[in-house]
Amino acid sequence: MTSGAAGAPSGAVAHARLALSPGWAGVFALATRPDVRRQGLARQLLRACADEALRADASSMYLQVAADNAPAIALYESLGFTTHHRYVYLQPN
């Protein structure tokens, strides 16, 4: 797994993790610091992940996002991602 960050002199303001396996690339933990959102950083990180996936010969890419994260889902849909399946986390009572 690799990770990347978009930074400023004061430190990283956005990050993403990329997992590679034969033919596949998965993007996880994509996040942008709240005070710098809506500046294209997440889009840049996704592009960097996609470029790395291509270099690794991954022909398919997936990501995971919380179902209630509307801004992230809107970004992913604008880039052509669609919902493949949903999942739930079970917690003890």
Side-chain angles (χ1 to χ4, degrees), residues 70-81:
I73 292 169
L75 169 65
Y76 304 145
E77 287 176 344
S78 78
L79 295 170
F81 287 92

Side-chain angles (χ1 to χ4, degrees), residues 42-61:
R43 189 177 296 270
Q44 288 176 19
L45 282 173
L46 276 173
R47 168 75 342 206
C49 288
D51 290 345
E52 185 64 28
L54 287 173
R55 280 191 288 278
D57 292 325
S59 58
S60 297
M61 189 174 201

Side-chain angles (χ1 to χ4, degrees), residues 25-28 30 46 61-65 72 76 79 81-82 87:
V27 177
F28 305 90
L30 177 62
L46 276 173
M61 189 174 201
Y62 64 94
L63 50 86
Q64 291 183 320
V65 60
Y76 304 145
L79 295 170
F81 287 92
T82 60
Y87 60 93

